[in-house]
Amino acid sequence: MTTSTTSTAPEPGAAPEPAAQAASPPRTRSQAHYQGMVLLAVCCLALGGVFVRISEIGPVATGAYRSLFAVPLLLGMSVALSRHAARTAKDGRDPGAGAAPAKQARVTPRDRFLIVLGGLFLAADLCLWNISFLYTSLAEANLLANLVPFIIAPLMFFLFGDRIPWKLLFPALLALGGLYILVILGTGLDPEHLRGDVLALLTAVFYALFLVVAKGLRERYEATRIMATLSLACAVACFVVAAVLGERLWPTTVKGWLVLIALAVTSQVLGQTLMAHAVKFLRLQLAAVYVLLQPVAAAVYGFVLFGQELSPIQLAGIAILLISIFWAKNLLEGRS
């Protein structure tokens, strides 16, 4: 999971938030071009659960490699941004929005602690999410992990005193209804299926905690640099957990390595890069709708590849949850 420091994301530790760009999109290219790019990004991001299921190593170890493979990419981006900023400053030009801003060079002891804490939160999020794929459907795991908006708001209130929009109560109640239909009525309280749904819900909790930590760090350090460090801390923690759980840590076949590489290329690189670029040129609400298509893409993958069928009750619960998440995102982004 591209990791992000925003309030919501299509997957934990993954794609950037489209809400950052509220201005009218440029007209240099057709909107259909960028919409197609977002759809491709969603399809790539939704492949995460597929590769976890077919990986020959454990789900936690698979997540460790996914996070580890992101580190050199993020470090490369950080170096490129720094060089661009240095060249711009040397030429005396306005660096503009594309250049890396000047950030504090040295990491303080307090921030080192926050980096470790954020890495642990991200690792817990990734471990729980990957394990949930083994017990529940890909669609449910992707959807339940997207309930971050309902967790971020109370977290920011208790930790920083931020006001909770009273209008958030309505989509929150709708989400509770959708959860009841999907998790309780939809699973028939099957212990194994219920376990997967609970793990996916806990994923959203730990991802929200990670975002709170990452947001503070992001205000003091350049984004790709801090995310590379967080990803490395996450990978180390995941490897430790995988070893404690007795998972196989090292693929023994070429296919096993190809699965991990494909996971990194699709979900960690292609999906996040395409999403980060395309959402800048789309209107806020349209981008948010496309982001919420990830559980739908996951449902298609689950049905085609693993025969995961969703009952009418489960589909109803999913539809209600998608509406509540979209509603909550708009409220939290200051939209009516």
Side-chain angles (χ1 to χ4, degrees), residues 257-282:
W257 283 109
L258 289 176
V259 167
L260 296 178
I261 294 172
L263 171 63
V265 170
T266 55
S267 295
Q268 200 70 25
V269 179
L270 255 183
Q272 293 179 30
T273 302
L274 289 172
M275 182 70 73
H277 177 70
V279 295
K280 294 180 181 180
F281 303 97
L282 295 175

Side-chain angles (χ1 to χ4, degrees), residues 285-305:
Q285 293 189 347
L286 179 61
V289 170
Y290 278 119
V291 165
L292 291 177
L293 289 177
Q294 184 177 324
V296 178
V300 173
Y301 293 148
F303 176 75
V304 173
L305 299 176

